[in-house]
Amino acid sequence: MEERAYLLERVGEAAVVQVYADGFRDLPLREKTLVWHLTQAAIAGRDIFYDQRYAYNLEMRDVIEAIVGRRHAIDPDTFDAVNRYAKLFWINTGPYNNLTARKFVLTCTPRALAEAAHAAARAGARFPLRPGESLSALLDRLGPLFFDPAVDPTVTSKTPPEGQDMLTASANNLYVGVTMKDLDGFEERHPLNSRLVKHNGSLVEEVYRVGGRYSAHISAIVGHLEAAIPFATEPMARALGALVTFYRTGREEDREAYDIAWVGDRSSPVDTINGFVEVYLDARSIKGAWEALVFYVNAAKTSQIRTIAGHAQWFEDHMPWDPKYRKTGARGVTASAIDVVIETGESGPITPVGINLPNAQAIRERYGSKSVSLSNINEAYDKSTLPELRSEFAWTPEETARALKWATFAGELTTNMHEVIGHGSGKVDERLNGNPQAALREQFSAIEESRADLVALYFLPDPKLVELGLVAAGDHADIVLAEYEGYARNALVQLRRVREGTTIEEDHMRNRQMIVRWLMAHTAAIEVRVRDGKTYYVMTDAAAFREGVGGLLAEVQRIKGEGDYDAARALVETYGVHFDPVLRDEVVTRVDRLKLPSYTGFVMPRLRAIHNGGGEIVDVEISYPLDLTSQMLEYSAASAHLRA
Ligand SMILES: [Zn+2]
């Protein structure tokens, strides 16, 4: 097979990688048409997440896109600075690093930006001027947002500076003028899908729905979903219909009905996630960030994840936690390996590798959950990862060899276990009403992610995996070593992503730091070694590693099951948040010398519908843009009319 491009370019710390959806071509026309309409829905909602993430995001994006689109008119040095900033802005959906939550700024001078903007305007570019506003006044107004790192420094601040409030210290647009104290005794009727605004001293929920906040975008999404319904299978059509109802009413009970319908659609070959879903953006872990994914099942890769799902009850029965937190009659864990065709909002261009939904614990316990493993994303990661990222931090050549041979395989297997028997497992005390989020607040996401990781790490060495045919007996020990070694190394390597400050904000990173540092403190599984001035986290005892993981997992499940906020906070704060900046600087020096990226933004496939004379779709073609800029400009243009 000919070599095709995965790694397209490097922009600062970020890698830009093309994702391929090879199976799309072979889908029947009906499914291609379905995917087409769902893809349009995904593009229509993209700006919602821009606005949720930062109230000024869309104006800022308009300014940089106006300049980037007029390259010939712009001074080359200024163009380079704006172009680089634009790419990071698109990848991170605004001026905040997706992993550190910290602001990054434009590196040209305000004057150079102004000259470039005026030159672009003379060349015909349009700017987002308010009524009566001049271009100079616009640039003055937005200047601090582009250039001053101290203005709105953090998008989500779960650990705010001493004396500051978590909500007002977070620059996101989920709350306006609201503090944690204002929320005492306030009951939200639309916890997931509203912005909370303090208005004349009282709290108002601005509901995301047709006729409410984001009405134009949501109406457009609804239109595309309705166009998709005739091409869907019956259970999927029911789920899409329920989603349309929820988008119209915004009511919590309609959201539940949608979740139940979505989780009940177990076998459709095409599926979508579209809505206000994950709660990482909210320091309280309550408000949902908008995202959309459209995907089809990758049948060849599905057998592994289906096998795990098919034996979910066995894993549940063998969880190393208090039996009262074991689910009985584990039902409805549906799992597939999928190929994504598009991801927007919170899922793109930076994407997860696995997803388990719905998030509502009560629905999970009663109706089960669906897990997907993003095969073509995993493949693109794998093909674009530089081998030095593993070898630089491995203590021995044997460790490097194991990583090169097994890291990808072990990573996919543990991701599948993380989603299916990790997030999908366990139950909580009845007292919590199926809502441990409310009790664990800003610690919830890190605790839940650690629970899912620990389940995967705990079962990886289990002979059951050989019995189920998931790993070959002769390779099992090496696969376990490769995963445990890689997991320990990662706690060191991930520090490259937090180039400023001394705290970790992102919940998956907190969880991984916490597990490794807890194991260091409580077991003999991981040693810190130094050679030639370089630090290594060396996994030395797989049995001790697993035993420690089991012990920590029992405690983490207890914390979730009881909603023990104080214990959650102590655990995450002690092991998962703070790190030594000297060590971080060492790691950054090492990765920069090797030019290793810290994170990846993905360019999605591009679809084009072919219509006949009667306006019917007769084919949908897929192609690969191999270019972030053209895709981002295309998406922005496609939904510009919704902002008028
Ligand atoms: Zn997870």
Side-chain angles (χ1 to χ4, degrees), residues 30-31 34 228-242 261-262 264-270:
R30 180 185 162 127
E31 287 164 19
L34 173 62
I229 287 174
F231 302 94
T233 61
E234 203 192 307
M236 186 180 181
R238 258 200 305 280
L240 292 175
W262 182 80
D265 174 14
R266 303 189 187 289
S267 54
S268 293
V270 169

Side-chain angles (χ1 to χ4, degrees), residues 96-424:
Y96 297 97
N97 181 294
N98 188 275
L99 294 164
T100 64
R102 282 168 167 266
K103 182 170 173 177
F104 55 86
V105 295
L106 189 46
T107 51
C108 65
T109 63
R111 195 184 156 149
L113 179 70
E115 281 169 10
H118 284 283
R122 283 192 298 275
R126 308 248 319 252
F127 285 84
L129 305 175
R130 289 180 177 176
E133 189 175 49
S134 68
L135 179 53
S136 300
L138 168 78
L139 295 170
D140 285 347
R141 181 163 62 80
L142 298 182
L145 314 182
F146 282 117
F147 293 105
D148 188 348
V151 171
D152 297 338
T154 308
V155 66
T156 302
S157 182
K158 295 191 192 73
T159 315
E162 196 62 32
Q164 284 191 42
D165 181 82
M166 211 161 65
L167 299 184
T168 52
S170 300
N172 65 55
N173 193 21
L174 303 173
Y175 304 89
V176 180
V178 180
T179 64
M180 286 299 284
K181 206 165 185 303
D182 293 326
L183 294 171
D184 279 349
F186 180 79
E187 198 165 332
E188 289 154 286
R189 290 179 53 212
H190 307 271
L192 198 67
N193 61 321
S194 71
R195 180 172 82 156
L196 269 180
V197 178
K198 199 157 168 193
H199 194 73
N200 292 335
S202 60
L203 288 174
V204 178
E205 282 184 79
E206 297 178 347
V207 185
Y208 310 151
R209 67 172 169 219
V210 174
R213 189 164 175 79
Y214 303 130
S215 184
H217 295 91
I218 292 175
S219 299
I221 294 168
V222 163
H224 293 299
L225 295 178
E226 287 179 329
I229 287 174
F231 302 94
T233 61
E234 203 192 307
M236 186 180 181
R238 258 200 305 280
L240 292 175
L243 177 57
V244 165
T245 301
F246 172 56
Y247 271 140
R248 288 193 196 286
T249 69
R251 295 190 313 183
E252 184 68 1
E253 56 265 45
D254 291 326
R255 206 256 316 144
E256 281 177 18
Y258 163 62
D259 275 355
I260 292 165
W262 182 80
V263 85
D265 174 14
R266 303 189 187 289
S267 54
S268 293
V270 169
D271 204 352
T272 190
I273 294 164
N274 182 310
F276 300 94
V277 181
E278 304 289 357
V279 296
Y280 306 114
L281 180 63
D282 181 10
R284 291 168 66 218
S285 307
I286 299 291
K287 303 275 169 224
W290 191 89
E291 68 173 2
L293 300 91
V294 182
F295 49 87
Y296 58 87
V297 172
N298 180 328
K301 290 213 148 193
T302 286
S303 78
Q304 179 183 82
I305 191 167
R306 290 254 159 100
T307 300
I308 298 167
H311 294 81
Q313 189 63 53
W314 183 91
F315 291 102
E316 191 79 46
D317 293 341
H318 292 78
M319 287 296 174
W321 59 54
D322 190 325
K324 73 179 177 188
Y325 296 124
R326 287 183 193 153
K327 247 192 319 202
T328 47
R331 74 210 98 192
V333 187
T334 315
S336 311
I338 54 132
D339 287 343
V340 294
V341 181
I342 192 170
E343 295 178 274
T344 62
E346 200 181 35
S347 282
I350 298 176
T351 158
V353 293
I355 296 171
N356 176 280
L357 290 173
N359 281 330
Q361 179 76 19
I363 292 175
R364 239 175 235 248
E365 287 182 17
R366 284 188 56 199
Y367 299 93
S369 62
K370 276 205 296 205
S371 283
V372 295
S373 158
L374 283 60
S375 291
N376 58 340
I377 294 292
N378 270 311
E379 182 203 27
Y381 263 124
D382 186 42
K383 301 276 190 192
S384 62
T385 296
L386 301 170
E388 292 85 352
L389 190 62
R390 284 154 184 158
S391 59
E392 169 65 22
F393 294 89
W395 181 249
T396 64
E398 291 74 25
E399 184 180 334
T400 301
R402 269 192 294 274
L404 291 175
K405 186 162 182 199
W406 292 115
T408 300
F409 176 86
E412 280 196 52
L413 179 56
T414 48
T415 299
N416 286 341
M417 290 199 287
H418 170 111
E419 299 297 342
V420 181
I421 55 172
H423 288 308

